[in-house]
C-alpha cells in the first residue's frame, strides 16, 4: 500500500510540473520579451507631435494627416493685436530662424505712410532706409508724392538689394484732397503736408497706420513703435508725442492763439493711427453742437481757425484733440526726439534713460551745421552701403563724428543718440551672425 501511495504522489507531481511548463510556453508566446531598462523608460516618454504649418488657404494640418482632416484656423488677428506674435510662432517650425516677414499674412504687415513733395526725395529715401535696416516685420510703404517724383521713387526703391526689398512692398499715390479747396490745402504749411489729414479717407482698406514726416529716422525697429497700438484703450484712436516737455519754453504754451492739446501741444511728425476707429468715430468740435465724422470736420475747422494757425495741419490736429482728449494716446518724447529736446539743455528724460528711438530732424538740421549731431546721424544712414557691417560702417564712425560736436548742447550727450542704436545693432548682429553660426555648428 505504501509503495502504491508513493507512486501516485510522484505521478501527480509530474503531471503538475508538465502543466506548469505548458502554461508558461503559452504565456511567453503572447507577450514580447521585456525591453532593456533604458529602452523601456524611453518608450514611456510622450512622443512629440509633428509641427503645424500654415497653408495658403488659411487652414492648417499636421504632417502625416490627410488634407481631409484639416481644421480651420482661428480668424487672423488685426495688425497690432496681441495674437500676432502667437500666429508667427505657429507658422515657424521648431528650430527655424525667426523670419516673420516671410510668414505673416498681409493683414499683419506694418503700414508706414509718408508725404513727400519738392526737394524731399532723398530725405524720404533715407527715412525708408532706416526703417528697412532695423525692422523685422514685413512693411507696406504708402508714399504720397507729386507726379514728377513718382518714377524716381519707384526706381530708387527697386535698386535696393533683394535681401532688403523682400522686407517691404511700396505703393505710390498722387496728392489728393477729398474736401475743400485743393490749392488751399497744398499751401497750408509746407507743400503737400496737409495730405496726412486725409489718410483715413484715402486708405480705406488699411486698419492701422504709422505716419512720419520725411525728416524722421528710425534708430530701432519700427516693430517697437507699432506695439503701442496694443496699449490703446477703448476710446484712443491715435498716438503722438508732446510738442515740448517744459511749458514755459514750449511754442504752443507761449504763442498759440487757438486751442491745443494738453499744456504744451502735440507734434504730428510721428503719428500712429487706428484708421478704422478714426473712420467710424464722431468727433466733438467747435463748429456744431453734435459730433462730426473725420472727413466732415476738417474743412469747417480750417475755415474757422485759418487766420490764427501757424503750423498748418499740426495746428488742426491740436484743435481736434483739444476737443477730444480721450481719443489720444501720448508717446514718450524719445519716440519723436527733436532738436528742442537738447538745444536748450537736455529735457527728455526718456531719451536719457533709454536712448532716442525715433529721431526727428525738423528745422532743417540734417542739411545745415546748426545741430551737427543730427546731421551726423542722417549722413551715416544715408551713406551706409546696404551689405556692410552695421558696427563698422555706422556705429564706430558715429562715435568719432560725435567727438566733433561736443561744442553744442546736443553734442554733449552723445549717449542719448547712441544708446538705442547700439542695442538695435547688437540684436541684429546676434540674429544674423551668432545664431546662424551656432545652428551651422550643430550639423
Amino acid at each position: 500500500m505504501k509503495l502504491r501511495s508513493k507512486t501516485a504522489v510522484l505521478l501527480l507531481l509530474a503531471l503538475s510540473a508538465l502543466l506548469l511548463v505548458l502554461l508558461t510556453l503559452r504565456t511567453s508566446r503572447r507577450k514580447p520579451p521585456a525591453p532593456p531598462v533604458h529602452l523601456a523608460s524611453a518608450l514611456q516618454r510622450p512622443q512629440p507631435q509633428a509641427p503645424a504649418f500654415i497653408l495658403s488657404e488659411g487652414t492648417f494640418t499636421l504632417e502625416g494627416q490627410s488634407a481631409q482632416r484639416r481644421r480651420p484656423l482661428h480668424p487672423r488677428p488685426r495688425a497690432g493685436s496681441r495674437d500676432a506674435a502667437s500666429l508667427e510662432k505657429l507658422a515657424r517650425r521648431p528650430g527655424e530662424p525667426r523670419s516673420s516677414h516671410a510668414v505673416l499674412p498681409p493683414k499683419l504687415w506694418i503700414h508706414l505712410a509718408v508725404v513727400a513733395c519738392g526737394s524731399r526725395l532723398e530725405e524720404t529715401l533715407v527715412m525708408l532706409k532706416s526703417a528697412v535696416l532695423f525692422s523685422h516685420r514685413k512693411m507696406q510703404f504708402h508714399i504720397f508724392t507729386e507726379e514728377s517724383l513718382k518714377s524716381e521713387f519707384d526706381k530708387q526703391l527697386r535698386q535696393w538689394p533683394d535681401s532688403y526689398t523682400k522686407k517691404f512692398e511700396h505703393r505710390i499715390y498722387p496728392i489728393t484732397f477729398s474736401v475743400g479747396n485743393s490749392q488751399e490745402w497744398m499751401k497750408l504749411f509746407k507743400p503737400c503736408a496737409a495730405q496726412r489729414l486725409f489718410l483715413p479717407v484715402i486708405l480705406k482698406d488699411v486698419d492701422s497706420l504709422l505716419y512720419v514726416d520725411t525728416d524722421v529716422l528710425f534708430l530701432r525697429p519700427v516693430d517697437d513703435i507699432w506695439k503701442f497700438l496694443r496699449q490703446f484703450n477703448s476710446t484712443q484712436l491715435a498716438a503722438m508725442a508732446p510738442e515740448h516737455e517744459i511749458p514755459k519754453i514750449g511754442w504752443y504754451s507761449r504763442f498759440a492763439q487757438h486751442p491745443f492739446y494738453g499744456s504744451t501741444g502735440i507734434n504730428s511728425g510721428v503719428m500712429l493711427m487706428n484708421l478704422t476707429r478714426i473712420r467710424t468715430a464722431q468727433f466733438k468740435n467747435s463748429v456744431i453742437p453734435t459730433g462730426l465724422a473725420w472727413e466732415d470736420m476738417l474743412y469747417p475747422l480750417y475755415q474757422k481757425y485759418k487766420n490764427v494757425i501757424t503750423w498748418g495741419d499740426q495746428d488742426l490736429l491740436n484743435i481736434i484733440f483739444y476737443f477730444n482728449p480721450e481719443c489720444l494716446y501720448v508717446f514718450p518724447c524719445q519716440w519723436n526726439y527733436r532738436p528742442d529736446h537738447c538745444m536748450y539743455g537736455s529735457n527728455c528724460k526718456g531719451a536719457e534713460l533709454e536712448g532716442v528711438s525715433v529721431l526727428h530732424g525738423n528745422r532743417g538740421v540734417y542739411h545745415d551745421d546748426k545741430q551737427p549731431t543730427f546731421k551726423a546721424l542722417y549722413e551715416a544712414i544715408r551713406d551706409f552701403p546696404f551689405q556692410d557691417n552695421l558696427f563698422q560702417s555706422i556705429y564706430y564712425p558715429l562715435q568719432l563724428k560725435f567727438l566733433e560736436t561736443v561744442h553744442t548742447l546736443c553734442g554733449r550727450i552723445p549717449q542719448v543718440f547712441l544708446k538705442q542704436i547700439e542695442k538695435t545693432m547688437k540684436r541684429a548682429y546676434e540674429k544674423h551672425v551668432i545664431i546662424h553660426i551656432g545652428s551651422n555648428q550643430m550639423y
Side-chain angles (χ1 to χ4, degrees), residues 189-230:
F189 181 48
K190 293 181 180 179
C192 307
Q195 181 71 81
R196 84 184 81 182
L197 297 173
F198 295 86
L199 298 180
V201 181
I202 298 170
L203 301 176
K204 294 184 183 296
D205 60 337
V206 177
D207 175 67
S208 297
L209 181 76
L210 175 63
Y211 165 86
V212 294
D213 284 348
T214 61
D215 51 9
V216 159
L217 293 174
F218 295 97
L219 305 187
R220 65 188 292 179
V222 182
D223 314 51
D224 295 338
I225 193 170
W226 192 255
K227 292 174 184 176
F228 279 109
L229 286 167
R230 304 176 187 174

mmCIF file of all heavy atoms in Angstrom, residues 189-230:
data_model
loop_
_atom_site.group_PDB
_atom_site.id
_atom_site.type_symbol
_atom_site.label_atom_id
_atom_site.label_comp_id
_atom_site.label_asym_id
_atom_site.label_seq_id
_atom_site.Cartn_x
_atom_site.Cartn_y
_atom_site.Cartn_z
ATOM 1 N N PHE A 189 0.795 124.642 -45.125
ATOM 2 C CA PHE A 189 2.060 124.796 -44.385
ATOM 3 C C PHE A 189 3.180 124.529 -45.375
ATOM 4 O O PHE A 189 3.435 125.346 -46.246
ATOM 5 C CB PHE A 189 2.097 123.844 -43.183
ATOM 6 C CG PHE A 189 3.344 123.948 -42.356
ATOM 7 C CD1 PHE A 189 3.821 125.178 -41.947
ATOM 8 C CD2 PHE A 189 4.036 122.811 -41.990
ATOM 9 C CE1 PHE A 189 4.982 125.286 -41.185
ATOM 10 C CE2 PHE A 189 5.188 122.900 -41.229
ATOM 11 C CZ PHE A 189 5.667 124.132 -40.827
ATOM 12 N N LYS A 190 3.841 123.393 -45.289
ATOM 13 C CA LYS A 190 4.816 123.011 -46.303
ATOM 14 C C LYS A 190 4.088 122.300 -47.436
ATOM 15 O O LYS A 190 2.996 121.756 -47.226
ATOM 16 C CB LYS A 190 5.890 122.117 -45.685
ATOM 17 C CG LYS A 190 6.754 122.852 -44.672
ATOM 18 C CD LYS A 190 7.826 121.955 -44.083
ATOM 19 C CE LYS A 190 8.669 122.732 -43.075
ATOM 20 N NZ LYS A 190 9.712 121.872 -42.454
ATOM 21 N N PRO A 191 4.663 122.278 -48.643
ATOM 22 C CA PRO A 191 3.965 121.670 -49.784
ATOM 23 C C PRO A 191 3.497 120.245 -49.480
ATOM 24 O O PRO A 191 4.280 119.411 -49.014
ATOM 25 C CB PRO A 191 5.034 121.680 -50.888
ATOM 26 C CG PRO A 191 5.926 122.820 -50.526
ATOM 27 C CD PRO A 191 5.959 122.847 -49.029
ATOM 28 N N CYS A 192 2.235 119.989 -49.684
ATOM 29 C CA CYS A 192 1.620 118.665 -49.549
ATOM 30 C C CYS A 192 1.428 118.204 -48.110
ATOM 31 O O CYS A 192 0.828 117.144 -47.882
ATOM 32 C CB CYS A 192 2.429 117.587 -50.282
ATOM 33 S SG CYS A 192 2.794 117.932 -52.001
ATOM 34 N N ALA A 193 1.928 118.915 -47.121
ATOM 35 C CA ALA A 193 1.928 118.409 -45.749
ATOM 36 C C ALA A 193 0.521 118.088 -45.250
ATOM 37 O O ALA A 193 0.331 117.144 -44.471
ATOM 38 C CB ALA A 193 2.591 119.415 -44.811
ATOM 39 N N ALA A 194 -0.482 118.842 -45.712
ATOM 40 C CA ALA A 194 -1.846 118.615 -45.238
ATOM 41 C C ALA A 194 -2.408 117.284 -45.715
ATOM 42 O O ALA A 194 -3.467 116.848 -45.228
ATOM 43 C CB ALA A 194 -2.759 119.753 -45.693
ATOM 44 N N GLN A 195 -1.717 116.597 -46.626
ATOM 45 C CA GLN A 195 -2.193 115.298 -47.116
ATOM 46 C C GLN A 195 -2.387 114.311 -45.981
ATOM 47 O O GLN A 195 -3.278 113.450 -46.043
ATOM 48 C CB GLN A 195 -1.190 114.736 -48.126
ATOM 49 C CG GLN A 195 -1.581 113.399 -48.733
ATOM 50 C CD GLN A 195 -2.733 113.503 -49.692
ATOM 51 O OE1 GLN A 195 -2.586 113.865 -50.836
ATOM 52 N NE2 GLN A 195 -3.928 113.198 -49.212
ATOM 53 N N ARG A 196 -1.585 114.425 -44.928
ATOM 54 C CA ARG A 196 -1.679 113.470 -43.812
ATOM 55 C C ARG A 196 -3.067 113.494 -43.166
ATOM 56 O O ARG A 196 -3.511 112.485 -42.614
ATOM 57 C CB ARG A 196 -0.603 113.766 -42.776
ATOM 58 C CG ARG A 196 -0.948 114.825 -41.771
ATOM 59 C CD ARG A 196 0.177 115.147 -40.819
ATOM 60 N NE ARG A 196 1.133 116.054 -41.418
ATOM 61 C CZ ARG A 196 2.241 116.467 -40.806
ATOM 62 N NH1 ARG A 196 2.534 116.013 -39.610
ATOM 63 N NH2 ARG A 196 3.062 117.311 -41.396
ATOM 64 N N LEU A 197 -3.760 114.632 -43.227
ATOM 65 C CA LEU A 197 -5.088 114.723 -42.636
ATOM 66 C C LEU A 197 -6.100 113.827 -43.348
ATOM 67 O O LEU A 197 -7.125 113.461 -42.768
ATOM 68 C CB LEU A 197 -5.581 116.173 -42.680
ATOM 69 C CG LEU A 197 -4.778 117.202 -41.881
ATOM 70 C CD1 LEU A 197 -5.293 118.606 -42.158
ATOM 71 C CD2 LEU A 197 -4.818 116.895 -40.391
ATOM 72 N N PHE A 198 -5.819 113.473 -44.598
ATOM 73 C CA PHE A 198 -6.782 112.745 -45.415
ATOM 74 C C PHE A 198 -6.444 111.249 -45.542
ATOM 75 O O PHE A 198 -7.105 110.532 -46.283
ATOM 76 C CB PHE A 198 -6.870 113.379 -46.806
ATOM 77 C CG PHE A 198 -7.416 114.780 -46.776
ATOM 78 C CD1 PHE A 198 -6.576 115.861 -46.554
ATOM 79 C CD2 PHE A 198 -8.768 115.008 -46.935
ATOM 80 C CE1 PHE A 198 -7.074 117.152 -46.505
ATOM 81 C CE2 PHE A 198 -9.280 116.293 -46.894
ATOM 82 C CZ PHE A 198 -8.438 117.381 -46.669
ATOM 83 N N LEU A 199 -5.430 110.782 -44.824
ATOM 84 C CA LEU A 199 -5.050 109.367 -44.921
ATOM 85 C C LEU A 199 -6.175 108.416 -44.515
ATOM 86 O O LEU A 199 -6.365 107.380 -45.156
ATOM 87 C CB LEU A 199 -3.789 109.115 -44.088
ATOM 88 C CG LEU A 199 -2.532 109.877 -44.536
ATOM 89 C CD1 LEU A 199 -1.346 109.534 -43.626
ATOM 90 C CD2 LEU A 199 -2.194 109.563 -45.985
ATOM 91 N N PRO A 200 -6.955 108.709 -43.453
ATOM 92 C CA PRO A 200 -8.050 107.785 -43.118
ATOM 93 C C PRO A 200 -9.088 107.674 -44.235
ATOM 94 O O PRO A 200 -9.731 106.631 -44.372
ATOM 95 C CB PRO A 200 -8.659 108.418 -41.861
ATOM 96 C CG PRO A 200 -7.583 109.264 -41.283
ATOM 97 C CD PRO A 200 -6.825 109.791 -42.460
ATOM 98 N N VAL A 201 -9.227 108.730 -45.022
ATOM 99 C CA VAL A 201 -10.225 108.739 -46.094
ATOM 100 C C VAL A 201 -9.710 107.986 -47.318
ATOM 101 O O VAL A 201 -10.452 107.253 -47.979
ATOM 102 C CB VAL A 201 -10.573 110.192 -46.481
ATOM 103 C CG1 VAL A 201 -11.619 110.222 -47.587
ATOM 104 C CG2 VAL A 201 -11.045 110.975 -45.260
ATOM 105 N N ILE A 202 -8.418 108.124 -47.613
ATOM 106 C CA ILE A 202 -7.840 107.537 -48.827
ATOM 107 C C ILE A 202 -7.540 106.051 -48.641
ATOM 108 O O ILE A 202 -7.845 105.230 -49.508
ATOM 109 C CB ILE A 202 -6.560 108.296 -49.228
ATOM 110 C CG1 ILE A 202 -6.893 109.751 -49.542
ATOM 111 C CG2 ILE A 202 -5.890 107.633 -50.421
ATOM 112 C CD1 ILE A 202 -5.680 110.642 -49.709
ATOM 113 N N LEU A 203 -6.934 105.694 -47.515
ATOM 114 C CA LEU A 203 -6.502 104.310 -47.285
ATOM 115 C C LEU A 203 -7.609 103.518 -46.593
ATOM 116 O O LEU A 203 -7.486 103.081 -45.448
ATOM 117 C CB LEU A 203 -5.214 104.306 -46.453
ATOM 118 C CG LEU A 203 -4.034 105.059 -47.074
ATOM 119 C CD1 LEU A 203 -2.845 105.083 -46.122
ATOM 120 C CD2 LEU A 203 -3.639 104.450 -48.407
ATOM 121 N N LYS A 204 -8.698 103.321 -47.305
ATOM 122 C CA LYS A 204 -9.886 102.706 -46.718
ATOM 123 C C LYS A 204 -9.690 101.232 -46.363
ATOM 124 O O LYS A 204 -10.402 100.693 -45.526
ATOM 125 C CB LYS A 204 -11.069 102.846 -47.680
ATOM 126 C CG LYS A 204 -11.517 104.290 -47.892
ATOM 127 C CD LYS A 204 -12.744 104.356 -48.772
ATOM 128 C CE LYS A 204 -13.169 105.790 -49.047
ATOM 129 N NZ LYS A 204 -13.578 106.504 -47.813
ATOM 130 N N ASP A 205 -8.732 100.563 -47.017
ATOM 131 C CA ASP A 205 -8.513 99.139 -46.751
ATOM 132 C C ASP A 205 -7.420 98.899 -45.716
ATOM 133 O O ASP A 205 -7.027 97.762 -45.478
ATOM 134 C CB ASP A 205 -8.168 98.405 -48.051
ATOM 135 C CG ASP A 205 -6.901 98.943 -48.703
ATOM 136 O OD1 ASP A 205 -6.544 100.117 -48.412
ATOM 137 O OD2 ASP A 205 -6.272 98.223 -49.496
ATOM 138 N N VAL A 206 -6.912 99.963 -45.109
ATOM 139 C CA VAL A 206 -5.847 99.846 -44.100
ATOM 140 C C VAL A 206 -6.453 100.058 -42.721
ATOM 141 O O VAL A 206 -7.140 101.047 -42.487
ATOM 142 C CB VAL A 206 -4.722 100.873 -44.354
ATOM 143 C CG1 VAL A 206 -3.655 100.780 -43.253
ATOM 144 C CG2 VAL A 206 -4.093 100.640 -45.727
ATOM 145 N N ASP A 207 -6.180 99.139 -41.813
ATOM 146 C CA ASP A 207 -6.737 99.225 -40.459
ATOM 147 C C ASP A 207 -5.934 100.181 -39.586
ATOM 148 O O ASP A 207 -6.491 101.072 -38.944
ATOM 149 C CB ASP A 207 -6.766 97.845 -39.810
ATOM 150 C CG ASP A 207 -7.214 97.899 -38.365
ATOM 151 O OD1 ASP A 207 -8.382 98.222 -38.129
ATOM 152 O OD2 ASP A 207 -6.384 97.643 -37.463
ATOM 153 N N SER A 208 -4.617 100.004 -39.538
ATOM 154 C CA SER A 208 -3.764 100.841 -38.696
ATOM 155 C C SER A 208 -2.570 101.318 -39.504
ATOM 156 O O SER A 208 -2.120 100.641 -40.433
ATOM 157 C CB SER A 208 -3.289 100.071 -37.463
ATOM 158 O OG SER A 208 -4.394 99.708 -36.655
ATOM 159 N N LEU A 209 -2.028 102.479 -39.116
ATOM 160 C CA LEU A 209 -1.015 103.142 -39.934
ATOM 161 C C LEU A 209 -0.074 103.949 -39.058
ATOM 162 O O LEU A 209 -0.497 104.571 -38.078
ATOM 163 C CB LEU A 209 -1.709 104.073 -40.936
ATOM 164 C CG LEU A 209 -0.828 104.847 -41.912
ATOM 165 C CD1 LEU A 209 -0.340 103.919 -43.020
ATOM 166 C CD2 LEU A 209 -1.608 106.016 -42.524
ATOM 167 N N LEU A 210 1.210 103.945 -39.428
ATOM 168 C CA LEU A 210 2.182 104.845 -38.823
ATOM 169 C C LEU A 210 2.552 105.898 -39.859
ATOM 170 O O LEU A 210 3.102 105.565 -40.912
ATOM 171 C CB LEU A 210 3.433 104.083 -38.370
ATOM 172 C CG LEU A 210 4.574 104.950 -37.817
ATOM 173 C CD1 LEU A 210 4.143 105.690 -36.551
ATOM 174 C CD2 LEU A 210 5.814 104.106 -37.539
ATOM 175 N N TYR A 211 2.231 107.152 -39.585
ATOM 176 C CA TYR A 211 2.645 108.250 -40.460
ATOM 177 C C TYR A 211 3.877 108.913 -39.859
ATOM 178 O O TYR A 211 3.943 109.151 -38.637
ATOM 179 C CB TYR A 211 1.527 109.295 -40.612
ATOM 180 C CG TYR A 211 2.061 110.578 -41.201
ATOM 181 C CD1 TYR A 211 2.161 110.742 -42.575
ATOM 182 C CD2 TYR A 211 2.541 111.598 -40.378
ATOM 183 C CE1 TYR A 211 2.713 111.890 -43.127
ATOM 184 C CE2 TYR A 211 3.085 112.756 -40.920
ATOM 185 C CZ TYR A 211 3.169 112.895 -42.290
ATOM 186 O OH TYR A 211 3.733 114.029 -42.822
ATOM 187 N N VAL A 212 4.853 109.251 -40.707
ATOM 188 C CA VAL A 212 6.021 110.005 -40.248
ATOM 189 C C VAL A 212 6.362 111.074 -41.282
ATOM 190 O O VAL A 212 6.106 110.917 -42.477
ATOM 191 C CB VAL A 212 7.259 109.105 -40.015
ATOM 192 C CG1 VAL A 212 7.021 108.135 -38.871
ATOM 193 C CG2 VAL A 212 7.644 108.360 -41.275
ATOM 194 N N ASP A 213 6.958 112.166 -40.820
ATOM 195 C CA ASP A 213 7.491 113.190 -41.718
ATOM 196 C C ASP A 213 8.708 112.638 -42.460
ATOM 197 O O ASP A 213 9.334 111.656 -42.021
ATOM 198 C CB ASP A 213 7.890 114.438 -40.929
ATOM 199 C CG ASP A 213 6.674 115.264 -40.502
ATOM 200 O OD1 ASP A 213 5.564 114.992 -41.002
ATOM 201 O OD2 ASP A 213 6.842 116.168 -39.665
ATOM 202 N N THR A 214 9.085 113.305 -43.527
ATOM 203 C CA THR A 214 10.234 112.847 -44.311
ATOM 204 C C THR A 214 11.538 112.950 -43.529
ATOM 205 O O THR A 214 12.490 112.213 -43.807
ATOM 206 C CB THR A 214 10.368 113.675 -45.598
ATOM 207 O OG1 THR A 214 10.572 115.062 -45.262
ATOM 208 C CG2 THR A 214 9.115 113.560 -46.455
ATOM 209 N N ASP A 215 11.621 113.853 -42.542
ATOM 210 C CA ASP A 215 12.869 114.083 -41.810
ATOM 211 C C ASP A 215 12.957 113.257 -40.524
ATOM 212 O O ASP A 215 13.562 113.676 -39.536
ATOM 213 C CB ASP A 215 13.052 115.575 -41.499
ATOM 214 C CG ASP A 215 11.817 116.188 -40.839
ATOM 215 O OD1 ASP A 215 10.888 115.437 -40.474
ATOM 216 O OD2 ASP A 215 11.780 117.428 -40.695
ATOM 217 N N VAL A 216 12.357 112.076 -40.554
ATOM 218 C CA VAL A 216 12.382 111.152 -39.405
ATOM 219 C C VAL A 216 13.359 110.021 -39.696
ATOM 220 O O VAL A 216 13.479 109.557 -40.835
ATOM 221 C CB VAL A 216 10.966 110.602 -39.135
ATOM 222 C CG1 VAL A 216 11.004 109.307 -38.336
ATOM 223 C CG2 VAL A 216 10.128 111.648 -38.407
ATOM 224 N N LEU A 217 14.059 109.558 -38.669
ATOM 225 C CA LEU A 217 14.951 108.397 -38.775
ATOM 226 C C LEU A 217 14.618 107.418 -37.655
ATOM 227 O O LEU A 217 14.474 107.818 -36.496
ATOM 228 C CB LEU A 217 16.420 108.814 -38.653
ATOM 229 C CG LEU A 217 17.003 109.671 -39.779
ATOM 230 C CD1 LEU A 217 18.413 110.109 -39.422
ATOM 231 C CD2 LEU A 217 16.994 108.915 -41.096
ATOM 232 N N PHE A 218 14.513 106.151 -38.013
ATOM 233 C CA PHE A 218 14.273 105.104 -37.015
ATOM 234 C C PHE A 218 15.614 104.580 -36.525
ATOM 235 O O PHE A 218 16.436 104.127 -37.311
ATOM 236 C CB PHE A 218 13.451 103.967 -37.621
ATOM 237 C CG PHE A 218 12.071 104.374 -38.029
ATOM 238 C CD1 PHE A 218 11.787 104.708 -39.351
ATOM 239 C CD2 PHE A 218 11.044 104.443 -37.097
ATOM 240 C CE1 PHE A 218 10.513 105.086 -39.730
ATOM 241 C CE2 PHE A 218 9.763 104.826 -37.463
ATOM 242 C CZ PHE A 218 9.498 105.158 -38.786
ATOM 243 N N LEU A 219 15.820 104.636 -35.206
ATOM 244 C CA LEU A 219 17.050 104.114 -34.612
ATOM 245 C C LEU A 219 16.818 102.777 -33.917
ATOM 246 O O LEU A 219 17.704 102.279 -33.237
ATOM 247 C CB LEU A 219 17.624 105.142 -33.622
ATOM 248 C CG LEU A 219 17.878 106.542 -34.197
ATOM 249 C CD1 LEU A 219 18.597 107.409 -33.169
ATOM 250 C CD2 LEU A 219 18.679 106.491 -35.491
ATOM 251 N N ARG A 220 15.654 102.214 -34.096
ATOM 252 C CA ARG A 220 15.311 100.885 -33.609
ATOM 253 C C ARG A 220 14.196 100.357 -34.499
ATOM 254 O O ARG A 220 13.640 101.099 -35.311
ATOM 255 C CB ARG A 220 14.894 100.924 -32.137
ATOM 256 C CG ARG A 220 13.625 101.698 -31.871
ATOM 257 C CD ARG A 220 13.363 101.882 -30.385
ATOM 258 N NE ARG A 220 13.048 100.620 -29.719
ATOM 259 C CZ ARG A 220 12.794 100.534 -28.412
ATOM 260 N NH1 ARG A 220 12.846 101.618 -27.645
ATOM 261 N NH2 ARG A 220 12.502 99.385 -27.862
ATOM 262 N N PRO A 221 13.831 99.076 -34.413
ATOM 263 C CA PRO A 221 12.820 98.524 -35.319
ATOM 264 C C PRO A 221 11.489 99.263 -35.260
ATOM 265 O O PRO A 221 11.024 99.641 -34.180
ATOM 266 C CB PRO A 221 12.665 97.086 -34.839
ATOM 267 C CG PRO A 221 13.975 96.759 -34.192
ATOM 268 C CD PRO A 221 14.430 98.022 -33.543
ATOM 269 N N VAL A 222 10.879 99.461 -36.420
ATOM 270 C CA VAL A 222 9.538 100.048 -36.482
ATOM 271 C C VAL A 222 8.553 99.166 -35.712
ATOM 272 O O VAL A 222 7.550 99.659 -35.179
ATOM 273 C CB VAL A 222 9.091 100.205 -37.954
ATOM 274 C CG1 VAL A 222 7.714 100.859 -38.026
ATOM 275 C CG2 VAL A 222 10.107 101.045 -38.722
ATOM 276 N N ASP A 223 8.855 97.871 -35.629
ATOM 277 C CA ASP A 223 8.001 96.931 -34.880
ATOM 278 C C ASP A 223 7.719 97.450 -33.465
ATOM 279 O O ASP A 223 6.637 97.229 -32.926
ATOM 280 C CB ASP A 223 8.683 95.570 -34.760
ATOM 281 C CG ASP A 223 9.286 95.092 -36.065
ATOM 282 O OD1 ASP A 223 10.034 95.847 -36.709
ATOM 283 O OD2 ASP A 223 9.018 93.944 -36.449
ATOM 284 N N ASP A 224 8.709 98.129 -32.859
ATOM 285 C CA ASP A 224 8.576 98.528 -31.459
ATOM 286 C C ASP A 224 7.557 99.656 -31.275
ATOM 287 O O ASP A 224 6.799 99.653 -30.301
ATOM 288 C CB ASP A 224 9.942 98.947 -30.909
ATOM 289 C CG ASP A 224 10.923 97.785 -30.861
ATOM 290 O OD1 ASP A 224 10.464 96.625 -30.851
ATOM 291 O OD2 ASP A 224 12.145 98.041 -30.847
ATOM 292 N N ILE A 225 7.533 100.615 -32.178
ATOM 293 C CA ILE A 225 6.533 101.688 -32.055
ATOM 294 C C ILE A 225 5.151 101.171 -32.455
ATOM 295 O O ILE A 225 4.136 101.613 -31.939
ATOM 296 C CB ILE A 225 6.940 102.923 -32.900
ATOM 297 C CG1 ILE A 225 6.063 104.124 -32.515
ATOM 298 C CG2 ILE A 225 6.864 102.650 -34.388
ATOM 299 C CD1 ILE A 225 6.535 105.430 -33.117
ATOM 300 N N TRP A 226 5.116 100.190 -33.358
ATOM 301 C CA TRP A 226 3.843 99.587 -33.784
ATOM 302 C C TRP A 226 3.143 98.907 -32.606
ATOM 303 O O TRP A 226 1.917 98.834 -32.556
ATOM 304 C CB TRP A 226 4.126 98.585 -34.898
ATOM 305 C CG TRP A 226 2.939 98.074 -35.637
ATOM 306 C CD1 TRP A 226 2.357 96.841 -35.520
ATOM 307 C CD2 TRP A 226 2.166 98.762 -36.636
ATOM 308 N NE1 TRP A 226 1.298 96.720 -36.381
ATOM 309 C CE2 TRP A 226 1.158 97.884 -37.081
ATOM 310 C CE3 TRP A 226 2.253 100.035 -37.203
ATOM 311 C CZ2 TRP A 226 0.230 98.247 -38.059
ATOM 312 C CZ3 TRP A 226 1.332 100.394 -38.173
ATOM 313 C CH2 TRP A 226 0.337 99.508 -38.585
ATOM 314 N N LYS A 227 3.916 98.437 -31.633
ATOM 315 C CA LYS A 227 3.345 97.741 -30.477
ATOM 316 C C LYS A 227 2.491 98.660 -29.603
ATOM 317 O O LYS A 227 1.690 98.185 -28.798
ATOM 318 C CB LYS A 227 4.455 97.120 -29.628
ATOM 319 C CG LYS A 227 5.178 95.972 -30.315
ATOM 320 C CD LYS A 227 6.356 95.490 -29.473
ATOM 321 C CE LYS A 227 7.136 94.405 -30.198
ATOM 322 N NZ LYS A 227 8.354 93.991 -29.444
ATOM 323 N N PHE A 228 2.653 99.981 -29.754
ATOM 324 C CA PHE A 228 1.832 100.896 -28.952
ATOM 325 C C PHE A 228 0.347 100.759 -29.293
ATOM 326 O O PHE A 228 -0.506 101.140 -28.483
ATOM 327 C CB PHE A 228 2.281 102.347 -29.178
ATOM 328 C CG PHE A 228 3.487 102.739 -28.366
ATOM 329 C CD1 PHE A 228 4.714 102.932 -28.969
ATOM 330 C CD2 PHE A 228 3.394 102.922 -26.998
ATOM 331 C CE1 PHE A 228 5.825 103.287 -28.236
ATOM 332 C CE2 PHE A 228 4.501 103.280 -26.243
ATOM 333 C CZ PHE A 228 5.723 103.461 -26.862
ATOM 334 N N LEU A 229 0.035 100.228 -30.471
ATOM 335 C CA LEU A 229 -1.372 100.015 -30.815
ATOM 336 C C LEU A 229 -2.069 99.122 -29.793
ATOM 337 O O LEU A 229 -3.263 99.268 -29.533
ATOM 338 C CB LEU A 229 -1.481 99.386 -32.213
ATOM 339 C CG LEU A 229 -1.199 100.305 -33.406
ATOM 340 C CD1 LEU A 229 -1.021 99.476 -34.668
ATOM 341 C CD2 LEU A 229 -2.314 101.327 -33.590
ATOM 342 N N ARG A 230 -1.316 98.184 -29.222
ATOM 343 C CA ARG A 230 -1.891 97.277 -28.222
ATOM 344 C C ARG A 230 -2.261 98.011 -26.937
ATOM 345 O O ARG A 230 -3.072 97.528 -26.156
ATOM 346 C CB ARG A 230 -0.899 96.170 -27.883
ATOM 347 C CG ARG A 230 -0.413 95.350 -29.061
ATOM 348 C CD ARG A 230 0.645 94.358 -28.590
ATOM 349 N NE ARG A 230 1.281 93.647 -29.683
ATOM 350 C CZ ARG A 230 2.310 92.828 -29.523
ATOM 351 N NH1 ARG A 230 2.791 92.612 -28.308
ATOM 352 N NH2 ARG A 230 2.838 92.219 -30.564
#
